[in-house]
């Protein structure tokens, strides 16, 4: 049960359409569960209440976990949230294959470049629009993670690739995509200058993602991180190095609020 379902249930009780005992039973099974708000698998305490608190799908960070652990967590979450997607990030080829094998009857979408997989029904892009702008092809894995995450979180996403400052005319040609967006994610390594450029071209919120792409003096992403934190143009928020997931979540929440405030319905773009 998520926040919308809980709200409808409480409205039904207030309106007399549902009795208190029936509502209590549904809350116990759909929200309260065992009362702990998590399922103890021994190696993990799986949060089963996040969707109620935030409205967001649950996420499993696969790096550092065995494929068996990831599958066990995913199955627990799917049993708790049958109508919401489960996102797995930083999933290796082996891990994604294990999830596919273990859940053959589940709706499943994956992105090998972004190293992500999602199980369950995905929202259909009615909660705002995001543009994910990628400086270079080498930054694509992080940009793909941001794109995939934002889509699982309900946003329509338009991805613009290979428009770095080495050829500034390329980002100028992409201005219509920037203007259509409620939030823009800009992914860049090396000098990390692109988010400041984009922020000077549009008035929408910018989420900058430094990547570890670059030669020695880039210091594994530290140089672009510092550049983005010192962006001359205002309106730039910065996430951690290579954190496409964090940028995807933040931008999806911004777009969601923007869509809610205008009541606009966004047409789904081709995937």
């Amino acid at each position: 049960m998520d926040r919308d379902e809980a709200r409808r249930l409480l409205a039904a009780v207030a309106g007399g359409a549902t009795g208190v005992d029936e509502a209590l039973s549904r809350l116990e099974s759909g929200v309260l569960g065992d009362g702990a708000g998590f399922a103890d698998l021994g190696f993990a305490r799986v949060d089963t209440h996040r969707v109620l608190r935030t409205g967001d799908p649950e996420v499993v960070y696969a790096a550092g976990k065995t494929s068996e652990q990831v599958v066990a967590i995913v199955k627990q979450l799917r049993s708790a949230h049958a109508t919401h997607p489960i996102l797995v990030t930083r999933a290796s080829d082996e891990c994604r294959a294990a999830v596919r094998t273990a859940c053959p009857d589940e709706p499943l979408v994956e992105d090998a470049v972004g190293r992500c997989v999602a199980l369950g029904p995905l929202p259909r892009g009615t909660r705002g629009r995001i543009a994910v702008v990628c400086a270079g092809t080498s930054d694509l894995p992080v940009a793909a993670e941001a794109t995939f995450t934002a889509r699982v979180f309900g946003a329509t996403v338009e991805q613009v690739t290979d428009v770095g400052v080495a050829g500034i005319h390329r980002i100028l040609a992409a201005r219509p995509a920037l203007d259509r967006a409620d939030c823009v994610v800009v992914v860049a390594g090396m000098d990390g200058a692109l988010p400041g450029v984009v922020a000077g071209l549009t008035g929408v919120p910018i989420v900058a993602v430094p990547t570890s792409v670059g030669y020695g003096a880039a210091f594994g992403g530290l140089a672009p991180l510092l550049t983005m934190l010192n962006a001359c143009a205002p309106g730039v928020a910065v996430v951690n190095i290579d954190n496409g997931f964090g940028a995807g979540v933040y931008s999806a929440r911004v777009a969601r609020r923007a869509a809610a405030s205008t009541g606009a319905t966004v047409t789904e773009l081709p995937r």
Side-chain angles (χ1 to χ4, degrees):
M1 180 178 290
D2 60 20
R3 293 173 67 90
D4 291 336
E5 292 168 328
R7 186 177 292 109
R8 287 193 293 269
L9 177 59
L10 293 174
V13 173
T18 300
V20 172
D21 290 340
E22 179 185 350
L24 179 60
S25 176
R26 290 173 60 185
L27 284 170
E28 287 175 340
S29 62
V31 176
L32 301 178
D34 59 6
F38 61 87
D40 191 348
L41 301 183
F43 60 87
R45 298 191 179 195
V46 181
D47 188 346
T48 56
H49 279 195
R50 194 183 310 275
V51 69
L52 180 65
R53 298 194 307 271
T54 69
D56 291 332
E58 187 52 74
V59 182
V60 181
Y61 179 72
K65 297 182 178 70
T66 66
S67 296
E68 292 77 14
Q69 288 172 333
V70 171
V71 167
I73 294 171
V74 165
K75 286 187 171 181
Q76 180 65 49
L77 289 170
R78 288 297 294 141
S79 67
H81 304 298
T83 61
H84 291 270
I86 308 299
L87 171 62
V88 183
T89 66
R90 300 298 167 101
S92 64
D93 293 345
E94 176 188 355
C95 179
R96 297 196 310 276
V99 172
R100 285 196 306 270
T101 301
C103 307
D105 300 323
E106 291 274 13
L108 185 147
V109 181
E110 65 178 296
D111 187 326
V113 176
R115 296 170 292 171
C116 298
V117 60
L119 284 89
L122 298 185
R124 296 305 300 172
T126 59
R127 305 170 76 183
R129 185 188 300 277
I130 296 166
V132 175
V133 178
C134 182
T137 306
S138 297
D139 302 306
L140 265 177
V142 177
E145 182 181 60
T147 297
F148 194 92
T149 298
R151 284 175 171 161
V152 173
F153 275 62
T156 292
V157 185
E158 187 170 1
Q159 188 167 308
V160 180
T161 301
D162 197 23
V163 290
V165 297
I168 199 69
H169 57 295
R170 298 176 298 178
I171 188 61
L172 297 176
R175 285 194 64 181
L178 307 180
D179 292 338
R180 284 191 291 267
D182 298 306
C183 188
V184 179
V185 176
V186 184
V187 182
M190 295 197 174
D191 57 10
L194 185 60
V197 172
V198 174
L201 294 175
T202 184
V204 303
I206 305 296
V207 184
V209 189
T211 73
S212 52
V213 171
Y215 295 103
F219 295 109
L222 181 59
L225 170 64
L226 294 176
T227 298
M228 293 173 186
L229 288 171
N230 287 282
C232 180
V236 179
V238 186
V239 299
N240 206 348
I241 298 169
D242 291 335
N243 190 9
F245 165 73
V249 173
Y250 183 85
S251 61
R253 289 181 173 180
V254 170
R256 179 195 309 166
R257 287 292 182 176
S261 66
T262 62
T265 298
V266 178
T267 301
E268 177 73 8
L269 293 170
R271 299 190 178 216

